[in-house]
Amino acid sequence: MASETETPAATTDYDAFAEAYAADTESNLINGHYTRPAVLDLAGDVAGRRVLDVGCGAGPLFASLRERGAKVTGIEPSAKMLELARQRLGDDAVLLQGDLKDPLPFADASFDLAVASLVLHYLEDWSGPLAELRRILVPGGRLVVAVNHPFVYKLIHPEGNYFTVHEYAEEYTFGDQSAVLSHWHRPLHAVTSAFTDAGFRIAVVGEPHPTPDAHEKFPDQVKQPGSAFLCFLFLVLEKP
């Protein structure tokens, strides 16, 4: 953990703060009452489906998909996150260490559904990862994605160039640990073009509401029942 006078270096490596991140995001507003419920809703009926959880972290989404009857495989670059996922999910869970920057260690058409929640915005190049995700899906398979909403970048960084693809950093606090995460901004047209150029058909573009109980649990952040906010962009892509 950095001292009060230090600013952590920008990173995409979660090992140093994995435990703090996992604890903080288990049931908070953004993850527990917004992102995961939205992804699960977009995934739909997964019973009996072969599902790849890309960037599975400590395994909360994996656990929810498995509870719904999916045959889940998780892949995650952080060794510490995988350790936490193994503790949570048990020795029978299929968990692999791997990075979307590299070829995926699966045969063609191995999965019916892939979920990449809060993963792609860490990557400069999407062409290779999306080609791999398309490859491992069956024809008619779907990819559910949640990424940083490009409009939010402009709200937070009004001085920034919305129309270019570029790297930027944001500081976060997880429990008592601070981390500066490196992200890649893409304007909306670059996001959608990346998927269609990779051969996907865009089926859904979503800006969901938080869960119905979010106002009661987080009244300072969700001011009124049923209110919504911009945070991430959610998409469902189909492999023809």
Side-chain angles (χ1 to χ4, degrees), residues 146-188:
V147 294
N148 285 341
H149 199 304
F151 295 169
V152 175
Y153 168 82
K154 191 60 176 176
L155 291 174
I156 297 175
H157 302 280
E159 77 290 350
N161 188 339
Y162 170 83
F163 292 99
T164 65
V165 177
H166 59 271
E167 191 174 20
Y168 68 102
E170 297 280 3
E171 186 168 5
Y172 297 86
T173 300
F174 306 113
D176 61 353
Q177 288 191 258
S178 295
V180 177
L181 299 180
S182 175
H183 295 176
W184 285 86
H185 165 72
R186 279 175 168 75
L188 182 59

Side-chain angles (χ1 to χ4, degrees), residues 27-151:
S27 57
N28 66 354
L29 171 62
I30 296 302
N31 300 87
H33 290 266
Y34 175 66
T35 307
R36 283 198 298 276
V39 168
L40 290 167
D41 182 61
L42 291 172
D45 183 5
V46 295
R49 302 286 186 179
R50 299 166 298 168
V51 179
L52 178 64
D53 183 2
V54 181
C56 65
L61 183 59
F62 186 118
S64 295
L65 290 164
R66 189 171 64 177
E67 288 170 2
R68 288 161 171 75
K71 303 173 183 176
V72 191
T73 298
I75 190 166
E76 164 64 40
S78 165
K80 184 60 179 179
M81 282 292 195
L82 279 177
E83 179 184 328
L84 296 174
R86 179 67 66 194
Q87 293 172 10
R88 176 181 191 143
L89 300 168
D91 291 337
D92 60 337
V94 183
L95 295 167
L96 303 171
Q97 187 169 11
D99 197 306
L100 263 186
K101 296 176 183 178
D102 303 318
L104 293 172
F106 309 110
D108 295 357
S110 294
F111 296 95
D112 304 296
L113 172 71
V115 176
S117 180
L118 312 185
V119 172
L120 288 174
H121 48 229
Y122 292 113
L123 305 178
E124 177 181 9
D125 172 43
W126 285 15
S127 58
L130 289 180
E132 278 294 283
L133 288 168
R134 188 179 186 277
R135 179 186 66 78
I136 58 93
L137 287 171
V138 298
R142 295 177 300 139
L143 170 63
V144 177
V145 169
V147 294
N148 285 341
H149 199 304
F151 295 169

